[in-house]
Amino acid sequence: MKMDDLQPWTAAVFEDKLRAMGDRYHIHHPYQVMMGEGKSTRQQIQAWVANRYYYQINIPIKDAAIMANCPEREVRRHWVQRILDHDGFEGEAGGIEAWIRLGEAVGLSREEIISQQHVLPGVRFAVDAYVNFARQRPWQEAAAASLTELFAPTIHKSRLDHWPTHYPWIEAEGYNYFRRRLNEAPRDVVHGLRITLGHFNTRELQERALSILQFKLDILWSMLDAMLLAHCPVQVDGWGPYRKMGEAA
Ligand SMILES: O=C(O)c1cc(C(=O)O)c2c(n1)C(=O)C(=O)c1cc(C(=O)O)[nH]c1-2
C-alpha cells in the first residue's frame, strides 16, 4: 500500500504520536541524567552552560528565519514573541541575558561565556544544523521542529526542584532562566502544535512531521554527546552509546 492510500491520523492520534517521542528527549541523555542526579562536577555544569549558550543565542536567529519565510501575518504576530523572549526589549533584558546570569551563577565570567571559547565543534555543528534547517525549509517544518518544547517544561522544573539541593554552590539568581521558560514554553507549544496539526494533514505529511521532530531530538542529543565525550572521559568506556572502534556490536 502506498503512503497516499493511508488515511491521515486524527489530530488527537497525531498529537499523541508527537508526544510519545518524548521518550527520546535529551532528559534521558547520560550527561543530563548525571546533572539531574547531582553527580556532575562544577566543571561539567559550567561546560554545559557555556555550550548551551551557543544554542540560546541562535534560537532568535532561527526564529527570525522562520518569520522571514512566513507570508502569514497572523503567524508572524505570534512568532515574534519568541524573539522578544530571548533578545529582550526596552525594559526587559530577555532570556539570553538570563542565560549569561546563569553562567555567572555557576562561576563563569561573562566574557568567557560571550567569547564562546568553550563551545565544542560538535555543539556548533548541531546548533547550526537547526538554524540552517529553519532557513532552508518551509516555515511550517521549522515550526514543527520547535515542538521538542513539548518536553522542556519537565526538564526545567526538575532543575528548579533538584539543582539547589545537589549544587548549593550555584547562586540562586541563576535559576531565573528556567523559571521564565516554565511560562514561555507552554504558550509556544500551543501555537507550534496548532500549526503542525493543521499543516501536516495527510499521512505522508504527518510521518514527515514525526521525522522532523526526530531530527530536532537528534540535535539536542548530539549536543550532549559532544559534551559527554569532552568532559566525561571516564564514562566513555563503560557507559553510554560509545563502543571502541573494532569492538563487536
Ligand atoms: O533546557 C532545555 O532542555 C531546553 C530544550 C529546548 C528544546 O527542547 O528545544 C529549548 C529550551 N531549553 C529553551 O530554553 C528554549 O528557549 C528553546 C527554544 C526552542 C526552540 O526549538 O525554538 N527550544 C528550546
Side-chain angles (χ1 to χ4, degrees):
M1 197 193 289
K2 291 208 308 288
M3 191 81 89
D4 311 357
D5 301 332
L6 294 172
Q7 288 294 313
W9 294 308
T10 63
V13 170
F14 181 27
E15 183 174 335
D16 281 351
K17 288 187 185 287
L18 291 163
R19 287 184 185 276
M21 294 183 75
D23 63 8
R24 303 178 208 175
Y25 196 48
H26 64 176
I27 197 168
H28 304 296
H29 189 285
Y31 201 95
Q32 198 90 247
V33 170
M34 204 173 65
M35 289 195 294
E37 290 178 349
K39 293 179 180 156
S40 298
T41 64
R42 184 183 168 95
Q43 194 259 343
Q44 285 163 340
I45 299 274
Q46 288 179 343
W48 177 74
V49 176
N51 274 279
R52 260 289 297 263
Y53 175 71
Y54 190 66
Y55 187 71
Q56 302 307 131
I57 58 174
N58 275 288
I59 289 292
I61 295 173
K62 178 273 293 184
D63 286 319
I66 292 176
M67 287 184 55
N69 287 332
C70 175
E72 293 183 28
R73 180 172 170 232
E74 272 311 308
V75 173
R76 293 199 308 269
R77 281 168 62 97
H78 272 95
W79 210 273
V80 70
Q81 185 60 48
R82 299 181 185 228
I83 298 179
L84 297 174
D85 287 343
H86 288 276
D87 282 340
F89 48 89
E90 192 65 44
E92 165 54 53
I96 293 174
E97 178 59 26
W99 194 271
I100 294 170
R101 302 243 173 105
L102 170 63
E104 291 176 322
V106 301
L108 297 162
S109 74
R110 177 171 288 263
E111 292 68 36
E112 71 184 313
I113 303 161
I114 291 173
S115 71
Q116 301 177 23
Q117 63 188 271
H118 301 302
V119 177
L120 296 160
V123 168
R124 200 175 284 280
F125 295 149
V127 172
D128 290 353
Y130 189 25
V131 176
N132 287 332
F133 183 83
R135 288 194 172 127
Q136 292 160 7
R137 302 299 308 167
W139 63 270
Q140 297 95 335
E141 293 200 359
S146 76
L147 285 182
T148 47
E149 282 206 88
L150 278 167
F151 320 122
T154 308
I155 206 170
H156 293 311
K157 178 148 191 330
S158 145
R159 291 170 191 142
L160 287 165
D161 288 346
H162 302 298
W163 282 25
T165 320
H166 291 324
Y167 309 108
W169 51 270
I170 299 180
E171 291 162 18
E173 208 215 327
Y175 293 109
N176 283 344
Y177 181 81
F178 304 130
R179 239 172 256 122
R180 296 168 63 96
R181 289 310 295 171
L182 282 183
N183 293 324
E184 294 165 354
R187 180 210 58 209
D188 292 352
V189 159
V190 169
H191 189 216
L193 260 183
R194 196 162 66 230
I195 291 166
T196 303
L197 298 179
H199 174 75
F200 297 86
N201 58 4
T202 66
R203 177 66 80 83
E204 192 170 8
L205 287 171
Q206 288 170 332
E207 300 270 8
R208 168 81 188 136
L210 294 179
S211 76
I212 290 166
L213 190 54
Q214 183 62 55
F215 161 74
K216 171 67 177 305
L217 289 162
D218 291 344
I219 285 169
L220 296 171
W221 196 269
S222 301
M223 291 169 66
L224 291 173
D225 279 353
M227 291 181 231
L228 188 66
L229 208 48
H231 297 291
C232 311
V234 179
Q235 270 97 18
V236 171
D237 284 337
W239 186 22
Y242 302 100
R243 223 178 287 121
K244 287 206 194 79
M245 284 179 74
E247 202 172 87

